[in-house]
Amino acid sequence: MNTSPPNIVLILADDLGFSDLGCYGSEIRTPNLDRLGFSGIRFTQMYNAARCCPSRASLLTGLYAHQTGVGHMMENLGVPSYQGFLNRSCVTVAEALRTHGYTTLMSGKWHVGGAYNILDPGSWRPGDATHPLPTQRGFDRFYGIVSGAGSYFYPRTLMRDDTFVPLQASGYYLTDAITDNAVRMVEQAAAAGRPFFLHVTYTAPHWPLHAPEEDIARYEGAYRDGWDAIRTGRHEELKGLGLVDPGWRITPRDKDSPPWEEAPHREWEDRRMATYAAQITGMDAGIGRILDRLGELGLRDDTLVMFASDNGGCAEFLREDNNPDEPFRYGTDPLDGRSIRVGNIPDLRSGPADTFMSYGRSWANASNSPFRRFKRWVHEGGISTPFIVSWPARIVRPGVVHEPAHFIDIFATCLDAAGAAYPTEFGGHEITPLEGESFLPLIDGRPWSRARPLFFEHEGNRAVRHGRWKLVNAYGSDWELYDMAEDRTELHDLASVNRPQVTRMAGMYEEWARRCGARPWRP
């Protein structure tokens, strides 16, 4: 076995649902991720933190998001755990690995460095105390956006290292640009001869529904049977792949989604989902290019590659950050002045640069099959991600892992694989003790399970996962209790018949919330 530190490539998708990959039961074509998954390890119970910013904060630091200052999104809510940017009591995986001799690289979306009003460039303050950039938090090189969402054709807040990049001319597409820059970073790092950490953070398939027309055309008509058929088909595939227990019944269709046969504008709905699928297939093609270049450079076997999504499928109507009353807005095309029509407008075709749509609640329900709820919630549909691990030189037995794990554990595993220590002090600041636990034994074919429970809080949605039990509630609702070994789709609430377990786990949550700074939510 090669004992030198591996290269590490950590890839993150944006708003991708649990069943949106071929190797997780989807009809969407993802041949490169499928190849990665079937030859590596697929996790069935990897958890994120329910939404963009908190998930990224946990992935980057190995801590719960509240401990890093990113307990909600990017707005400063007036308390340290909700300040909206990474604090100095955490150390990023890039900082820890760079100290250990790694070249550290990032291509994609940042979104843990303070709020940006994308329509008011004069207000942008990148690099100040409340808007840290990747290059200030351990990355040697950075290309991407520092805000949360926007046009794929004309992205705002686009930066290279610490300098804004002018809006690109016609022909630019953000997914491809993220890949192009990641490939160049791999080439440059390989020439330098040092191990590298590359964090590739695609914005796909987050809204808006933007994709090249030729990619959309490959899927048009594929969704004319509707979301009910997609949900059922994916559930059957998941069972066949051994990723979900056949005894777990699929959740009922979301209560706010109509049966497909009663849905208006079914041709338009088919086009919306076709565009979403095209975004995913485009991202998969980019991942294939990165993997192929690693192979051409002779680096693939000794590179640890991991893939995940930051939250479940998104039912939101073009809203981001802490702005519940106003849809995300673009005014005009920034280069030629065309009017951009924002909203899910049935007489428009999704995909072009002068549209700004999302795929909606019903298709998000399909993305999260067989689970319920969505991004923002901490029921399984909001926090369950496909998670693939590939390390050809190290993985003993490809297969499926059913042990629960969390983004905080990915950080710990990166450090463990690299042989890097977690610091108690960094840059003159005392560092919060690591919450994550390395799952490297699983990669080596040995047993592993977390020693400590997992905790979740986002916008007052709360949960505890401890062994086979999960305690969860939606904001303003009572605690629910589920036996995840028997009922991971959360259909049989046992709270009324097992009050002692509810009391124990609720006490665990309150202790965690006090320790980590999770406050009662006030919308």
Side-chain angles (χ1 to χ4, degrees), residues 124-401:
W124 299 350
R125 298 291 183 268
D128 73 7
T130 62
H131 294 82
L133 295 172
T135 51
Q136 294 171 306
R137 295 309 309 254
F139 287 96
D140 295 315
R141 300 299 310 276
F142 169 66
Y143 175 87
I145 61 171
V146 292
S147 58
S151 171
Y152 285 68
F153 299 104
Y154 308 111
R156 313 212 183 182
T157 75
L158 185 65
M159 302 190 76
R160 187 178 302 282
D161 298 329
D162 57 1
T163 303
F164 283 114
V165 176
L167 291 170
Q168 306 297 298
S170 177
Y172 181 91
Y173 187 61
L174 182 56
T175 301
D176 293 342
I178 290 170
T179 298
D180 293 342
N181 281 271
V183 169
R184 280 195 289 270
M185 289 173 180
V186 166
E187 293 168 344
Q188 292 163 1
R194 296 164 55 196
F196 62 83
F197 171 75
L198 171 63
H199 194 20
V200 186
T201 53
Y202 288 101
T203 59
H206 193 296
W207 51 259
L209 294 174
H210 280 169
E213 182 61 35
E214 60 271 23
D215 294 349
I216 301 170
R218 297 187 182 101
Y219 284 102
E220 278 201 269
Y223 294 99
R224 287 177 180 162
D225 289 338
W227 40 71
D228 295 323
I230 293 297
R231 292 185 75 236
T232 300
R234 290 188 181 189
H235 185 219
E236 292 303 313
E237 287 294 322
L238 284 163
K239 291 189 291 185
L241 291 167
L243 299 176
V244 301
D245 191 307
W248 300 339
R249 290 191 297 111
I250 191 170
T251 55
R253 181 194 317 108
D254 182 77
K255 63 182 179 60
D256 293 320
S257 297
W260 175 252
E261 60 270 17
E262 297 177 13
H265 315 299
R266 289 195 290 273
E267 291 279 335
W268 175 71
E269 291 285 9
D270 168 75
R271 170 77 181 195
R272 283 208 293 174
M273 188 60 190
T275 309
Y276 179 84
Q279 289 177 302
I280 294 172
T281 295
M283 175 185 66
D284 179 81
I287 292 169
R289 288 178 52 207
I290 296 169
L291 297 175
D292 288 347
R293 194 64 183 124
L294 287 167
E296 292 162 359
L297 293 167
L299 302 174
R300 181 66 192 91
D301 284 354
D302 291 319
T303 299
L304 168 59
V305 179
M306 292 179 279
F307 173 90
S309 175
D310 63 350
N311 44 249
C314 175
E316 300 169 7
F317 177 64
L318 304 177
R319 288 174 170 84
E320 194 57 272
D321 294 330
N322 191 28
N323 190 15
D325 299 319
E326 182 178 351
F328 197 91
R329 292 185 297 112
Y330 257 70
T332 58
D333 181 309
L335 294 186
D336 66 14
R338 288 181 300 167
S339 175
I340 294 178
R341 298 184 66 183
V342 177
N344 293 326
I345 304 167
D347 63 355
L348 292 182
R349 289 169 61 83
S350 59
D354 59 354
T355 65
F356 212 93
M357 299 188 195
S358 61
Y359 76 153
R361 191 179 194 91
S362 300
W363 289 122
N365 192 201
S367 286
N368 297 334
S369 301
F371 305 125
R372 64 185 176 106
R373 297 204 185 261
F374 312 93
K375 169 183 177 177
R376 291 183 182 241
W377 282 274
V378 296
H379 287 75
E380 293 294 285
I383 58 175
S384 299
T385 173
F387 182 61
I388 298 169
V389 178
S390 174
W391 190 355
R394 186 78 176 256
I395 289 177
V396 176
R397 290 188 297 275
V400 175
V401 166

Side-chain angles (χ1 to χ4, degrees), residues 28 72 77 87 141 164 229 240 315 326 363 369 418 479 499 521:
I28 297 173
H72 184 237
L77 302 185
N87 61 33
R141 300 299 310 276
F164 283 114
E326 182 178 351
W363 289 122
S369 301
W479 284 117
R499 298 307 302 175
W521 181 246

